[in-house]
Amino acid sequence: MKLTGALSLTTAVAAWAASGLVATVFAESAESAVKVLTNNDFLLWSKDQSLALVEFYAPWCGYCQAMAPAYEMAASALKKDKIPLAKVDCTTEITVCDDMGIEGFPTLKVVKGGMFAPYNGTRQEASIVSYMRKHSKPALQKIKPVNFDNFIDSGHIVVVGFADDNANDLAALKTVAEESFDEYLFGYVSDKSVAKKFGVPYPGIAVFKDFDTRKDIYEFTRDADKLRLAIRSSSIPVLGELSAQTFGSYVRSGIPIGLLFYDSQEMRQELQQEFLVLAVKYKQDLSLALVDARIYHKHAKSLNLQSKWPAFAIQEPAKHLKYLFPHFKVLTAEKVDQFVSEFVSGKLEPNFKSQPIPAKNDAGVFELVAKQFNDVVFDRSKDVLIEFYAPWCIYCKRMAKAYADLGDTFKENPNMVIAKMDATANDIPSGDPGFQFPGFPTVVLVRAGDNAIIRYNGDRTLSSMIGFIKKHAIHSSTYEKPEAIEKIGEMQQHVYIEAPKDAVGYTPKETRHIEL
């Protein structure tokens, strides 16, 4: 876990050694509630803890120093709960920190019987205390009727199963509770009168929250996937605000996002009033959200929206797909209702940015564009090698001659396609992770027969690329002339150049990260 502002362990140790400082900078107080661990006792101590928290730190680290008082107070507060807090100085206990894979400071890990898990709370005393107390309880708690009101008011989002105390019935709820323990509070109650009081069918599921609808009710299910979807749906506000801070929660929900872009507060208020009913109507199928186009105009551009507001688009992050409401239509709730209905029923076609299909395309290297991507790339009768490039990329330019020669080498092979695609001018109309990459150039082979996607990681020379094709392709006859297999250019280390955001638009990098 590499934290913001943290230095690498190697750099940290070197800096500490070079500084000439002594450990007395962080001398321990006799009254300290934090246990100090060393190479000698770390493993033995960890195995004995049913629940504990360990901080891996460096005495010179400013972030560690800032957290130290809160960590000390949390340790004191948790004494009565018998949840010890400990720390390891990674400038002296290097063996432990290396074994634990510590890369930055401070790193906090929860310990349970010798097993370690990341600490996902904040660095304040109250957060540390509440986080550790929560972890001292079962992921799925049985709630007594007398404690029910307090329980559902004790978290931002609280998931409750109303069902008999039966292991088979509760298996899915327990599974999801253990997966999402850090995000939500989970419990169940077997008293039918409690269900009746809160208007929940028995058996049933209710998600209590401290925002918008306050309570969402679902049919009881033993299907963990359905339960996950229901909880994620409830975790998203009805017609909330999409921002850099909230975007992750929308993506994690797994539900498509309907984005309503505005460019003034007046427009935002009008959209909020007009589309609230629609947001409630499609809550299970689509998370409708408001987006400030003045701040997130680049995200609007990545969706291929024109700069005309208000505007609406549907985004499916998991599939890297987007659907645009026509700009020439007036944006009304009635028209968007019809648009969303067609999306839910699978009648809408996704929108892809694409260059025009070339009128002539008979050179050794095939000019691939988004409009013909699936037809060309997933033709099972052919092996297809694709270079994804950017016109401004110097590494792409250096490889151009070798790649052109590669195209000429295989030009007479009817079952081999050597192609290239400008990834700054074309979307990739496929959600396959094999087409997600960090920079340019990226070369992949889509193999004939099974359409397996194989990444090329060799040198950018003709002979190396021919070798890769002969090893992995089904149809690898080259028809080469003897002089065609000579090395082209100098051997180059296989590196990527990152795509600058202002030059890329909707590139594969942004498709993968989908960052607002």
Side-chain angles (χ1 to χ4, degrees):
M1 179 171 67
K2 200 162 188 175
L3 301 176
T4 303
L7 299 179
S8 70
L9 184 59
T10 302
T11 304
V13 174
W16 174 254
S19 70
L21 297 176
V22 293
T24 53
V25 171
F26 246 60
E28 300 301 325
S29 166
E31 295 80 24
S32 175
V34 178
K35 169 77 174 175
V36 177
L37 298 174
T38 68
N39 292 332
N40 297 325
D41 61 1
F42 176 79
L43 288 178
L44 185 61
W45 181 88
S46 300
K47 289 178 181 178
D48 288 340
Q49 306 308 314
S50 56
L51 177 64
L53 183 65
V54 179
E55 175 199 6
F56 299 87
Y57 76 101
W60 47 259
C61 166
Y63 297 100
C64 305
Q65 294 170 14
M67 189 185 75
Y71 197 71
E72 183 70 43
M73 289 186 288
S76 298
L78 288 168
K79 269 188 173 180
K80 61 182 179 181
D81 301 281
K82 297 183 179 180
I83 302 174
L85 268 61
K87 62 182 178 181
V88 177
D89 182 347
C90 287
T91 65
T92 58
E93 314 308 318
I94 299 174
T95 300
V96 168
C97 296
D98 281 346
D99 291 343
M100 293 299 296
I102 306 302
E103 296 180 340
F105 308 118
T107 292
L108 300 175
K109 289 186 179 289
V110 177
V111 188
K112 289 186 177 182
M115 303 298 290
F116 297 86
Y119 168 82
N120 294 317
T122 65
R123 299 173 188 173
Q124 285 74 43
E125 176 196 358
S127 178
I128 295 171
V129 171
S130 63
Y131 187 93
M132 296 307 295
R133 283 176 177 166
K134 181 178 179 180
H135 276 260
S136 69
K137 302 172 183 176
L140 179 64
Q141 303 177 45
K142 184 172 183 178
I143 315 164
K144 295 180 179 179
V146 67
N147 298 326
F148 190 84
D149 288 352
N150 289 334
F151 183 80
I152 62 175
D153 289 335
S154 60
H156 178 56
I157 297 174
V158 180
V159 183
V160 178
F162 295 83
D164 294 339
D165 197 347
N166 180 293
N168 290 331
D169 288 342
L170 298 173
L173 188 60
K174 184 178 180 182
T175 296
V176 177
E178 291 172 345
E179 294 172 352
S180 308
F181 193 45
D182 286 344
E183 296 180 79
Y184 315 118
L185 189 61
F186 289 83
Y188 74 96
V189 62
S190 302
D191 192 313
K192 294 181 179 179
S193 65
V194 178
K196 184 177 181 180
K197 175 183 175 182
F198 286 89
V200 182
Y202 193 95
I205 300 286
V207 179
F208 296 89
K209 47 192 180 177
D210 57 6
F211 56 92
D212 62 49
T213 58
R214 303 294 178 180
K215 177 182 66 181
D216 294 330
I217 299 173
Y218 301 96
E219 292 181 357
F220 192 81
T221 179
R222 293 184 178 182
D223 187 324
D225 289 335
K226 288 184 179 179
L227 185 58
R228 288 188 196 97
L229 185 60
I231 295 170
R232 292 296 184 187
S233 174
S234 287
S235 70
I236 302 299
V238 175
L239 201 55
E241 186 77 18
L242 201 66
S243 67
Q245 291 71 38
T246 63
F247 189 64
S249 62
Y250 281 87
V251 173
R252 287 192 299 271
S253 74
I255 301 171
I257 312 168
L259 302 99
L260 285 162
F261 285 87
Y262 64 88
D263 68 347
S264 69
Q265 284 305 113
E266 293 78 13
M267 186 182 293
R268 185 191 187 282
Q269 291 174 4
E270 291 172 2
L271 292 174
Q272 190 171 34
Q273 292 174 2
E274 184 173 1
F275 286 89
L276 181 59
V277 173
L278 201 65
V280 173
K281 177 180 178 180
Y282 288 104
K283 182 172 176 57
Q284 295 298 306
D285 304 298
L286 187 78
S287 296
L288 221 60
L290 297 158
V291 190
D292 192 335
R294 296 165 297 184
I295 300 173
Y296 301 112
H297 54 90
K298 286 186 178 180
H299 191 69
K301 183 180 179 181
S302 76
L303 296 172
N304 300 341
L305 287 171
Q306 299 177 17
S307 297
K308 297 178 181 178
W309 320 115
F312 180 72
I314 296 174
Q315 184 175 6
E316 287 192 275
K319 297 179 180 179
H320 309 296
L321 298 176
K322 53 188 178 293
Y323 305 79
L324 274 59
F325 182 83
H327 280 95
F328 57 84
K329 290 186 177 182
V330 178
L331 192 70
T332 65
E334 183 180 358
K335 291 178 181 178
V336 171
D337 190 347
Q338 182 180 355
F339 184 79
V340 173
S341 177
E342 291 177 358
F343 166 76
V344 172
S345 61
K347 295 178 181 178
L348 285 186
E349 289 293 326
N351 178 276
F352 296 107
K353 179 173 61 178
S354 178
Q355 292 175 303
I357 296 175
K360 187 178 180 180
N361 211 347
D362 56 1
V365 177
F366 186 88
E367 295 281 351
L368 185 64
V369 299
K371 289 181 179 180
Q372 58 188 167
F373 187 90
N374 290 329
D375 291 338
V376 173
V377 172
F378 297 114
D379 182 345
R380 292 182 180 272
S381 69
K382 297 177 181 179
D383 293 291
V384 183
L385 188 79
I386 317 159
E387 177 204 359
F388 296 99
Y389 73 96
W392 44 259
C393 168
I394 57 173
Y395 298 108
C396 304
K397 293 175 182 178
R398 290 175 183 174
M399 193 181 79
K401 178 64 166 64
Y403 202 74
D405 289 342
L406 183 70
D408 291 338
T409 300
F410 287 92
K411 187 174 181 180
E412 302 303 321
N413 185 335
N415 298 111
M416 169 64 69
V417 177
I418 306 298
K420 65 178 181 179
M421 182 172 173
D422 182 348
T424 70
N426 296 275
D427 289 340
I428 298 178
S430 170
D432 194 298
F435 293 119
Q436 300 170 23
F437 49 85
F440 305 110
T442 288
V443 178
V444 299
L445 172 71
V446 182
R447 189 169 59 194
D450 59 3
N451 281 164
I453 301 172
I454 306 166
R455 179 73 61 84
Y456 174 71
N457 289 312
D459 296 311
R460 298 191 182 112
T461 57
L462 177 59
S463 59
S464 180
M465 289 186 282
I466 288 175
F468 171 80
I469 289 173
K470 285 184 172 293
K471 180 178 180 181
H472 296 288
I474 302 298
H475 309 290
S476 59
S477 297
T478 60
Y479 303 97
E480 71 269 31
K481 297 177 181 179
E483 63 270 18
I485 60 173
E486 294 179 359
K487 260 191 177 182
I488 305 297
E490 297 180 356
M491 296 285 284
Q492 300 178 37
Q493 184 180 2
H494 190 76
V495 294
Y496 289 109
I497 181 169
E498 288 290 337
K501 291 183 178 179
D502 58 352
V504 178
Y506 195 69
T507 67
K509 179 179 179 181
E510 291 191 24
T511 304
R512 181 187 66 180
H513 293 295
I514 320 169
E515 296 174 346
L516 278 170

